[in-house]
Amino acid sequence: MSGGVKTAVLVSGGGTNLQAILDKAASGGMPSVDIDVVVSDREGAFALERAEKARVDTAVIPYKALGGAEFERRLNALLEERKIGLIVLAGFMRILSADFTSRYPERILNIHPSLIPSFCGEGYYGLRVHEAALGYGVKVTGATVHFVNEVPDGGRIIMQKAVYIDENDTPETLQQRVMREAEWVIYPEAIEKVASKIRRQ
Ligand code: GAR
């Protein structure tokens, strides 16, 4: 993986998107990306085990104990020390401040489990997004990869994929299908696309 853009993946939970990225990288499908470190905002996130299994360095910066400002100060120090060129949010459930995002213009990516601009912004995360989509009654949803700026889920869109809603869907079944059919497919692809562009600059 050497020679790729040094990338930090930020996680909070189960890490299935992280797994899709690690698998794609292991199969040679992300030649422009060097996954350097996985950072969790809490101890015990299963994503950390996935990273260790793939022999990727891990770090925990406990957001709850430190508060947002100190979390970001430590995160920034770690990213600078490791000379990280790309930050990937993969199920990372914190909102980064404008002060932080402005340091990395078009260098932070996020995946959101809906077709932005629907069901996004503050308060829309994880299962809640799918509950909102089903509650509204839309027939198509999906996933969006976008750059992160100071507006939650508001940065430029990089890639989207649509997923049809089944009339028997529950938030849980819909979440699984959006992950399998959209998120795990487009996120590795979008990261590679952005990294290869950075490498050519
Ligand atoms: C994913 O569906 C991701 O799109 C979503 O949380 C889940 C994390 O799963 N992210 C957000 O809602 C961010 N606003 P994972 O930890 O298994 O990748």
Side-chain angles (χ1 to χ4, degrees):
M1 284 196 287
S2 66
V5 178
K6 285 186 87 179
T7 300
V9 184
L10 272 56
V11 298
S12 300
T16 64
N17 277 290
L18 169 67
Q19 191 66 58
I21 295 162
L22 292 170
D23 291 348
K24 188 80 171 186
S27 72
M30 301 178 82
S32 310
V33 180
D34 175 5
I35 301 162
D36 188 62
V37 64
V38 170
V39 183
S40 173
D41 67 336
R42 63 179 189 89
E43 300 271 1
F46 187 64
L48 292 167
E49 288 184 36
R50 296 180 188 272
E52 280 159 20
K53 210 165 169 194
R55 298 180 191 286
V56 174
D57 287 353
T58 61
V60 175
I61 307 177
Y63 191 103
K64 220 171 167 183
L66 296 171
E70 181 61 14
F71 171 86
E72 289 186 355
R73 200 192 61 72
R74 292 194 192 187
L75 176 61
N76 200 47
L78 182 132
L79 299 174
E80 283 185 359
E81 185 189 311
R82 286 181 169 264
K83 300 191 170 32
I84 294 297
L86 187 62
I87 301 163
V88 167
L89 311 186
F92 179 69
M93 298 302 180
R94 304 285 180 182
I95 292 177
L96 295 165
S97 72
D99 183 51
F100 184 90
T101 58
S102 65
R103 289 171 195 258
Y104 299 94
E106 306 226 317
R107 290 293 182 275
I108 312 175
L109 302 187
N110 182 43
I111 188 150
H112 183 77
S114 75
L115 294 175
I116 290 176
S118 289
F119 314 117
C120 64
E122 223 163 329
Y124 286 98
Y125 56 87
L127 215 49
R128 290 181 184 209
V129 179
H130 305 291
E131 284 165 359
L134 290 176
Y136 197 95
V138 293
K139 303 302 174 201
V140 184
T141 185
T144 303
V145 181
H146 63 93
F147 285 115
V148 174
N149 64 9
E150 70 286 357
V151 181
D153 298 324
R156 189 159 68 83
I157 290 173
I158 300 159
M159 216 175 266
Q160 290 186 302
K161 188 160 191 268
V163 172
Y164 282 98
I165 290 178
D166 188 275
E167 59 182 36
N168 299 317
D169 266 328
T170 63
E172 290 79 8
T173 62
L174 185 57
Q175 180 180 51
Q176 277 307 309
R177 221 172 45 264
V178 168
M179 283 178 159
R180 201 176 53 241
E181 291 181 12
E183 297 188 44
W184 304 338
V185 179
I186 63 171
Y187 210 11
E189 201 182 315
I191 296 164
E192 170 59 25
K193 187 177 159 189
V194 170
S196 75
K197 211 168 157 190
I198 293 173
R199 217 157 51 149
R200 277 184 269 116
Q201 278 170 359

